[in-house]
Amino acid sequence: LLKNQNIFEMLRSKSMNISNSIDCCEAIFSFVCEVISNKQATMADEFEISLKNRIKGFVTTLHRKWTGAGRSLPRFKIKNSNWLDLNFNIFGEIENIRVLQPSTSSGRGRPKKLFSESSERSKKRKIKHLAPGSTTPEMVFATHTRMYKAGKRTASKIIKKSTTSTPKTLHRVKTAYETEKKIEKYTAEESLAILIDNKMSVKQYKNIRLAAKKKCANIFSAYDHVLNAKKECYPKNIRITETISCQVPLQDLLDHTIIRILKIPNIKMPENIVDNIELLCKWGCDGSSGHSQYKHLTNQVH
């Protein structure tokens, strides 16, 4: 015998929402079919229709009792203990069941899928009987009411608004839904510029980065990448002495300058066309060497 409690526990085990949904009816129907197949019986077409109608009535009653208990499992079991102990009438009239001879085949046929697991083509076939005789406003209102009773109030409100809003408003909502706003992350070089311009310490930079990540805004590069970007800003063969002097060969400085210029995204060099690049620059002779030195820790000029 199949009790109401068995069906309720089956729905709970599948983590299904207790509502007047097609998924609930499909899940119960599949569960009942398994019970019938275990008894070596199959359903006539008339009995299948009758069973589905009984399942719809059962789901409606279950949903009413479940919402009446505030969707609380302990309260539901206490208030409806007698109802849960009742037997669910699967077979109805015995003449509607055709008993089969035991089969030697190990298979039980193709299992039926839930409505949510079916393909688009199967879904259209299953709802084909709903469309005739119903206008679009009627079906929209029925969907809105069902979803509202199932607790999906936001979706229910959107469906209702879809018939009362202007086409321009609906297009704006559709565009906002389809347009994904992506957060553009700072590159390592840009993060380095922010760190230097704001005179941040390493700890300050890391704290700001972690605070931004907590707000789902991972916009700053990791400090390891920033450190590597900083190292790439230095030319080769730098010689630093204990007297706070720094010397760089002029050729290395010029090579580094042109390499960094060519790495600017806005500057695009044609490939396989340019073999030699000539750098024209000047220093001194017009007083430009007297400019203040950048980020020097001492006033001495070396």
Side-chain angles (χ1 to χ4, degrees):
L1 295 178
L2 184 63
K3 294 182 179 294
N4 294 341
Q5 184 172 359
N6 300 132
I7 300 177
F8 175 73
E9 291 176 351
M10 180 274 299
L11 294 175
R12 294 279 298 176
S13 65
K14 292 187 176 182
S15 301
M16 298 194 66
N17 184 25
I18 307 299
S19 62
N20 296 333
S21 64
I22 298 178
D23 288 343
C24 276
C25 295
E26 291 278 349
I28 296 174
F29 183 76
S30 300
F31 181 64
V32 172
C33 287
E34 292 179 3
V35 175
I36 293 176
S37 62
N38 291 335
K39 294 179 178 294
Q40 296 294 335
T42 186
M43 292 178 290
D45 293 338
E46 298 82 4
F47 175 73
E48 181 177 348
I49 297 174
S50 176
L51 177 60
K52 287 184 177 180
N53 290 333
R54 287 200 300 276
I55 290 175
K56 288 181 181 178
F58 173 83
V59 170
T60 302
T61 304
L62 175 61
H63 178 250
R64 185 178 67 252
K65 292 180 178 295
W66 178 247
T67 53
R71 301 179 184 273
S72 173
L73 182 60
R75 192 183 308 163
F76 173 79
K77 288 185 176 181
I78 293 173
K79 293 181 63 175
N80 304 283
S81 58
N82 295 332
W83 181 80
L84 290 172
D85 289 335
L86 295 178
N87 295 329
F88 181 78
N89 187 10
I90 299 177
F91 300 110
E93 299 297 331
I94 193 66
E95 57 268 15
N96 287 329
I97 301 295
R98 295 197 301 267
V99 179
L100 299 179
Q101 296 296 328
S103 174
T104 57
S105 174
S106 59
R108 299 186 185 276
R110 184 178 181 181
K112 292 188 177 182
K113 290 184 177 181
L114 298 177
F115 183 81
S116 59
E117 298 175 352
S118 303
S119 62
E120 291 294 325
R121 186 175 180 181
S122 299
K123 289 179 179 178
K124 291 179 181 179
R125 186 178 67 253
K126 290 181 179 181
I127 66 171
K128 191 175 182 180
H129 66 282
L130 300 176
S134 300
T135 62
T136 301
E138 290 174 347
M139 297 189 69
V140 171
F141 184 79
T143 306
H144 151 69
T145 306
R146 277 293 185 89
M147 298 195 77
Y148 186 86
K149 290 183 178 180
K152 301 178 180 179
R153 299 189 177 184
T154 303
S156 173
K157 188 174 182 180
I158 292 175
I159 292 174
K160 186 177 180 180
K161 287 289 185 181
S162 65
T163 57
T164 57
S165 302
T166 61
K168 186 176 181 180
T169 302
L170 294 176
H171 179 72
R172 187 163 58 247
V173 173
K174 178 176 177 290
T175 304
Y177 175 76
E178 293 179 348
T179 304
E180 183 180 359
K181 294 183 179 180
K182 295 183 179 179
I183 298 177
E184 188 175 352
K185 189 173 182 178
Y186 288 110
T187 63
E189 289 78 9
E190 291 172 339
S191 300
L192 175 62
I194 293 174
L195 187 148
I196 294 176
D197 291 342
N198 293 280
K199 300 179 180 180
M200 290 190 292
S201 64
V202 176
K203 184 177 181 180
Q204 288 174 335
Y205 177 82
K206 290 182 177 180
N207 289 340
I208 292 175
R209 179 174 178 269
L210 291 176
K213 288 183 68 176
K214 288 181 180 179
K215 296 296 183 179
C216 300
N218 187 16
I219 57 176
F220 296 104
S221 297
Y223 183 74
D224 291 340
H225 298 165
V226 175
L227 187 60
N228 292 333
K230 186 177 181 180
K231 292 178 180 179
E232 292 180 359
C233 295
Y234 297 130
K236 297 180 180 179
N237 300 322
I238 298 178
R239 292 191 294 272
I240 301 175
T241 63
E242 296 180 356
T243 58
I244 319 180
S245 65
C246 178
Q247 295 179 352
V248 181
L250 181 59
Q251 186 62 51
D252 291 329
L253 180 60
L254 296 177
D255 291 342
H256 178 75
T257 301
I258 190 62
I259 289 174
R260 297 294 294 180
I261 291 175
L262 294 178
K263 286 184 177 181
I264 298 175
N266 296 334
I267 298 179
K268 297 181 179 180
M269 296 294 294
E271 298 180 358
N272 301 326
I273 297 179
V274 180
D275 294 331
N276 298 316
I277 298 176
E278 183 178 357
L279 175 65
L280 300 178
C281 58
K282 66 182 182 66
W283 182 84
C285 301
D286 58 353
S288 62
S289 60
H291 292 170
S292 60
Q293 303 298 319
Y294 184 71
K295 297 294 182 183
H296 269 204
L297 299 178
T298 177
N299 293 327
Q300 298 179 0
V301 179
H302 298 279

